[in-house]
């Protein structure tokens, strides 16, 4: 099994190494064993707290919005009577195949101070003065969330759509004959039947959002004043931007691991509960 | 037959879908339009075709050694995709086909690793590469990405749909295990491969953080890195960047459209 | 056409034994059917013969050679699978020639063998199609054709007809019987359908829980089952079982009382059983006679009658015990709600509480 060997070298070894690292203090390449010093530093580091709350905020807002949208679109597109299914499906999936840099640039230019977003909003009289999207803490977060949602909704939708097509049509026909209304067919048939996939996508999205790096680095670089700083970005900054502090960076990264573990567990438990 | 309420619902569905489609497509249009405008026009929100296309292209090509950059990008994404598919499909096939007491445990361990953020591994990997003395090489970019757990997971799920009897029949027909893989498994699973190709190529092509760390000289940089560099200046030239963005998007777009039909099929297999 | 021998064959998954010691000899050219309920180990046994499952203990010989550790492709066998297992990405022609390609057979030789097999099965017009363009019956024929091309000493069939509809099943059954006549090869056929077993087999092997219950020719199994399980499994409709109790036992006869039929007494010309032992009387549907024609009469409550034209089946019960009675010429009895039938002692079977036959 060559794959296992590769994994062994490029996953297991670094994992153990970083675990060990997380108990090291020091700068650059000089380490000494610091025990729980890094963990203590975590609790007193305002930037870390900032990054943590930002990441959790993104998670709490973005993942549910995206998954609900994806589920809704998938359900709409699964209707064989819908006109233009192929077009809508491709269109909504399209963002997913854009290049990462391309879309961050596009978003950056759309949300520039006198960019098209502001002009449009002002034109339809929603706002009076241009919003300083990327320099305002609140709006910068909105832009980041919008960007991620734009990119990944279609991706999740494809999973749902594929799963929906595996559901036996006759179940819906039976429900229609039984007089079950459309919303109930969706809620009591589609959703429970898709549960494994929903669980899968929510775990994957959670992991993805917790590890969020590329988008924020390209769009805002964590600013303004750390309002969009994520844990991954902070780790990157700790390791490569400032004076390298690998040990502490490793400790921060294990915060993500623990978060992923806890959240995945919760999602599994919630999914189990609904079956009962 | 339809009640007014249902009709309203249908209209709403179309409206929302159209809105979603517009929102999805608009940035593409924006990108193409932007490539023809000057940076100042773009920032001012000009969404109509301009006349600066040629200027932008020239400026873009001259900003870096584009032949080299494109070569790097295609080599890394292409080779990475091929290698990843081979490794991951072998692993997925192996996991599903060979019973072993440890199988589920190893697999569970793999899934756990999926949850470890790349950020956590970045530093150790970097040091590992430094120890191998392969920083700033293609190998350094490729090696850690080849054994993608997600793709292994995906292939294992899809392999569940591969009929066991087919493997039995092939064994009776006298095929060795590797021949079964090559002549039966791979052709039968082509939709799965197609879907995986899109995902892996996309990931590799767009790969940003890891190449950013290990590729340090200009002649090793990929298109993604180059476009990102263009944006990070104080006065980014959006027109030029849009040209770069188009270049960065086209390959994945083309692959997607070529493999689209198989993609949905392949996804279907994986979620069964 | 080879003989095949199983000696003390066992199969265990961990601590679970699924084949618990099978001894069997199969003569050349014999058509042997393994039959039994699902989970009896019949498919596992077949897969062990094919080499797809490892043999935990015991010996397998094909044509006098020990084959336990020989590669499936070198055992001289070919197999037809339940799901047909056609390679979906290859044409019928390529499917059929695939094994030969890997055996290093020359291209023109492959073409000849494929064409020969196609002619036998009337597959010639389909050779360039893909499996998904074929109907279920056609796929089945291709699967058989693929086996024929290999010119095996032993054909193995794993429930080959269970994915077909009833009409096609009958058709393919006849086709397989014809093929056996034509090819004169040893064939081993696994099914849970006793009708297929009865119609196809030279020899039936009845399996249950990983052991052989009985081996014999179809009609021998029908007329002379070794135990209650075989008696119940072979024959359609199923043999009727009536609860009874031994009230007298002499070397020349056993007297029983039928518990659910007002303790009606019946003397059977067998020896065995002890006083007071709970036993089961087995009577086939067609062996119930007109009132007074047998050795005792029983009265039944009629539930429903099915008229099939030539015969009718009457479903009746007494004291909660359901029975099926086959009647010819009974088209007008559907309005009856009671009927009296007789049981003949020489056409009834007696089983002890363990299900063993009392002869």
């Amino acid at each position: 099994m060559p794959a296992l060997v590769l994994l062994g070298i490029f996953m297991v070894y670094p994992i153990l190494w970083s675990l060990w690292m997380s108990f090291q203090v020091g700068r650059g390449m000089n380490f000494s064993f610091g025990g729980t010093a890094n963990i203590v530093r975590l609790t007193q580091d305002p930037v870390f707290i900032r990054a943590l709350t930002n990441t959790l905020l993104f998670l709490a807002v973005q993942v549910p919005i995206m998954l609900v949208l994806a589920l809704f679109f998938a359900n709409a597109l699964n209707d064989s009577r819908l006109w233009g299914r192929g077009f809508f499906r491709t269109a909504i999936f399209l963002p997913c195949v854009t290049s990462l840099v391309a879309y961050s640039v596009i978003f950056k230019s759309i949300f520039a101070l006198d960019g098209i977003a502001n002009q449009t909003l002002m034109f339809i009289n929603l706002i009076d003065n241009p919003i300083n999207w990327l320099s305002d803490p609140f709006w910068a977060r909105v832009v980041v969330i919008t960007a991620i949602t734009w990119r990944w909704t279609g991706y999740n939708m494809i999973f749902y759509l594929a799963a929906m097509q595996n559901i036996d049509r006759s179940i819906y026909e039976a429900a229609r004959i039984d007089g079950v209304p459309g919303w109930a067919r969706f809620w009591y048939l589609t959703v429970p039947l898709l549960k494994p996939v929903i669980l899968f996508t929510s775990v994957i999205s959670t992991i993805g959002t917790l590890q969020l790096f590329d988008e924020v680095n390209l769009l805002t670089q964590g600013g303004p004043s750390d309002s969009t700083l994520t844990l991954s970005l902070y780790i990157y900054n700790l390791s490569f931007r400032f004076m390298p502090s690998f040990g502490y960076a490793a400790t921060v990264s294990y915060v993500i691991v623990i978060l992923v573990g806890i959240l995945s567990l919760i999602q599994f438990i919630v999914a189990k509960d609904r079956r009962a | 037959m339809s009640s007014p309420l249902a009709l309203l619902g249908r209209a709403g569905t179309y409206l929302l879908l159209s809105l979603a489609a517009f929102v999805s497509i608009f940035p593409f249009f924006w990108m193409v339009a932007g490539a023809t405008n000057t940076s100042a026009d773009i920032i001012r929100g000009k969404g109509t075709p301009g006349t600066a296309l040629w200027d932008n292209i020239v400026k873009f090509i001259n900003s870096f050694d584009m032949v080299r950059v494109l070569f790097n990008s295609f080599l890394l994404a292409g080779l990475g995709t091929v290698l990843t598919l081979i490794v991951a499909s072998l692993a997925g096939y192996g996991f599903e086909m060979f019973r072993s007491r440890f199988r589920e445990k190893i697999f569970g361990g793999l899934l756990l690793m999926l949850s470890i953020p790349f950020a956590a591994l970045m530093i150790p990997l970097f040091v590992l590469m430094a120890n191998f003395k392969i920083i700033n090489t293609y190998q350094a970019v490729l090696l850690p990405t080849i054994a993608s757990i997600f793709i292994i997971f995906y292939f294992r799920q899809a392999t569940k749909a591969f009929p066991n009897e087919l493997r039995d029949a092939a064994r009776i027909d006298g095929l060795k295990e590797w021949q079964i893989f090559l002549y039966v498994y791979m052709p039968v699973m082509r939709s799965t491969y197609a879907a995986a190709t899109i995902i892996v190529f996309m990931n590799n092509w767009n790969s940003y953080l890891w190449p950013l760390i290990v590729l340090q000289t200009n002649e090793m940089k990929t298109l993604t890195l180059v476009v990102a560099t263009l944006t990070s200046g104080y006065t980014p030239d959006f027109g030029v960047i849009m040209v770069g963005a188009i270049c960065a998007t086209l390959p994945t777009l083309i692959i997607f459209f070529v493999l689209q039909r198989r993609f949905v099929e392949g996804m279907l297999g994986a979620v069964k | 056409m080879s003989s095949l021998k199983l000696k003390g064959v066992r199969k265990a998954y961990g601590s679970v034994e699924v084949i618990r010691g099978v001894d069997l000899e199969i003569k050349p050219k014999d058509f042997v059917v393994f039959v039994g309920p699902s989970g009896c180990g019949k498919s596992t046994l077949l897969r062990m013969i094919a080499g797809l499952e490892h043999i935990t203990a015991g010996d397998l010989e094909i044509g006098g050679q020990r084959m336990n550790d020989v590669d499936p492709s070198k055992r001289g066998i070919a197999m037809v699978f339940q799901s047909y297992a056609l390679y979906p990405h290859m044409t019928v022609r390529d499917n059929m020639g695939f094994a030969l390609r890997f055996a290093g057979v020359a291209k023109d030789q492959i073409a000849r063998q494929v064409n020969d097999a196609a002619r036998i099965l009337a597959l010639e017009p389909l050779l360039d199609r893909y499996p998904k363009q074929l109907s279920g019956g056609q796929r089945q024929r291709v699967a058989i054709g693929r086996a024929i091309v290999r010119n095996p000493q032993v054909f193995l069939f794993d429930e080959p007809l269970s994915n077909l509809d009833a009409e096609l099943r009958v058709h393919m059954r006849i086709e397989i019987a014809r093929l056996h006549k034509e090819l004169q090869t040893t064939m081993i056929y696994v099914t849970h359908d006793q009708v297929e077993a009865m119609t196809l087999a030279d020899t039936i092997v009845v399996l249950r829980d990983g052991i052989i219950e009985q081996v014999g020719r179809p009609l021998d199994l029908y007329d002379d089952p070794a135990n209650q399980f075989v008696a119940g499994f072979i024959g359609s409709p199923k043999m009727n079982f009536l609860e009874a109790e031994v009230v007298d036992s002499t070397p020349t006869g056993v007297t029983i009382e039928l518990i659910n039929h007002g303790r009606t007494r019946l003397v059977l010309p067998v020896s065995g059983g002890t006083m007071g032992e709970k036993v089961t009387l087995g009577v086939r549907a067609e062996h119930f006679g007109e009132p007074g024609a047998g050795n005792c009469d029983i009265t039944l409550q009629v539930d429903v009658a099915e008229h099939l034209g030539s015969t009718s089946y009457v479903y009746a019960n007494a004291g909660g015990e359901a029975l099926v009675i086959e009647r010819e010429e009974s088209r007008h009895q559907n309005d009856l709600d009671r009927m009296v039938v007789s049981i003949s002692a020489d056409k009834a079977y007696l089983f002890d509480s363990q299900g063993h036959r009392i002869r």
Side-chain angles (χ1 to χ4, degrees), chain C residues 146-311:
Chain C
R146 188 171 65 179
I148 291 176
V149 168
R150 305 193 54 212
N151 199 13
Q153 300 182 33
V154 182
F155 271 93
L156 307 177
F157 292 91
D158 188 5
E159 307 221 9
L161 305 185
S162 53
N163 284 351
L164 299 177
D165 64 46
E167 202 177 323
L168 256 173
R169 199 147 46 200
V170 175
H171 179 77
M172 287 307 296
R173 210 165 71 202
I174 294 164
E175 190 109 325
I176 290 173
R178 178 181 70 83
L179 206 67
H180 180 237
K181 230 181 205 169
E182 207 169 307
L183 298 174
Q184 293 286 314
T185 319
T186 314
M187 290 188 173
I188 304 177
Y189 186 106
V190 162
T191 180
H192 61 268
D193 180 354
Q194 58 88 27
V195 177
E196 274 174 33
M198 293 295 284
T199 50
L200 283 169
D202 297 321
T203 306
I204 293 182
V205 177
V206 182
L207 285 154
R208 180 170 63 150
D209 293 341
I211 49 174
I212 294 181
E213 291 281 343
Q214 194 174 0
V215 179
R217 291 185 302 174
L219 288 180
D220 290 348
L221 257 54
Y222 187 83
D223 293 335
D224 192 13
N227 52 49
Q228 191 177 343
F229 175 74
V230 175
F233 197 79
I234 301 290
S236 174
K238 279 184 132 173
M239 184 185 278
N240 295 293
F241 292 120
L242 294 82
E243 282 178 51
E245 190 182 317
V246 176
V247 292
D248 190 24
S249 173
T250 67
T252 53
V254 174
T255 308
I256 56 165
E257 284 184 356
L258 297 172
I259 292 165
N260 294 314
H261 302 275
R263 301 199 80 87
T264 307
R265 288 199 173 202
L266 178 66
V267 183
L268 291 142
V270 295
S271 65
T274 51
M275 289 283 291
E277 189 185 347
K278 298 276 183 225
V279 291
T280 306
L281 184 74
V283 184
R284 292 216 180 267
E286 70 269 26
H287 289 157
F288 286 106
E290 296 297 324
N295 303 81
C296 74
D297 287 355
I298 53 173
T299 306
L300 303 170
Q301 200 79 34
V302 174
D303 294 325
V304 84
E306 290 179 348
H307 301 292
L308 303 179
S310 61
T311 56

Side-chain angles (χ1 to χ4, degrees), chain A residues 83 90 97 109 114 119 211, chain B residues 14 23 30 43-44 117 252 260:
Chain A
W83 178 84
T90 308
V97 294
S109 68
D114 39 2
Q119 291 194 5
Q211 299 187 12
Chain B
Y14 277 111
V23 169
W30 180 250
I43 304 242
R44 242 185 290 116
T252 48
Q260 187 185 24

Side-chain angles (χ1 to χ4, degrees), chain A residues 7 13 17 73 83 90-91 93 96-97 99 101-102 105 109 114-115 119 150-151 166 200 211 213 217 246 253 260, chain B residues 14 20 23-24 30 43-44 115 117 120 123-124 128 153 202 206 208-209 224 231 241-242 249 252 256 260 268:
Chain A
L7 277 173
Y13 172 77
W17 201 83
F73 290 142
W83 178 84
T90 308
F93 186 74
C96 193
V97 294
S99 148
V101 276
V105 173
S109 68
D114 39 2
Q119 291 194 5
W150 180 78
R151 178 117 196 263
N166 279 335
F200 173 75
Q211 299 187 12
F213 172 83
N217 191 38
F246 287 165
S253 55
V260 170
Chain B
Y14 277 111
V23 169
S24 296
W30 180 250
I43 304 242
R44 242 185 290 116
S115 71
I123 310 148
L128 192 69
F153 176 75
M202 238 161 61
N206 292 332
Y208 171 64
L209 177 54
T224 304
T231 62
I241 294 167
M242 290 301 174
T249 305
T252 48
F256 172 69
Q260 187 185 24
L268 253 145

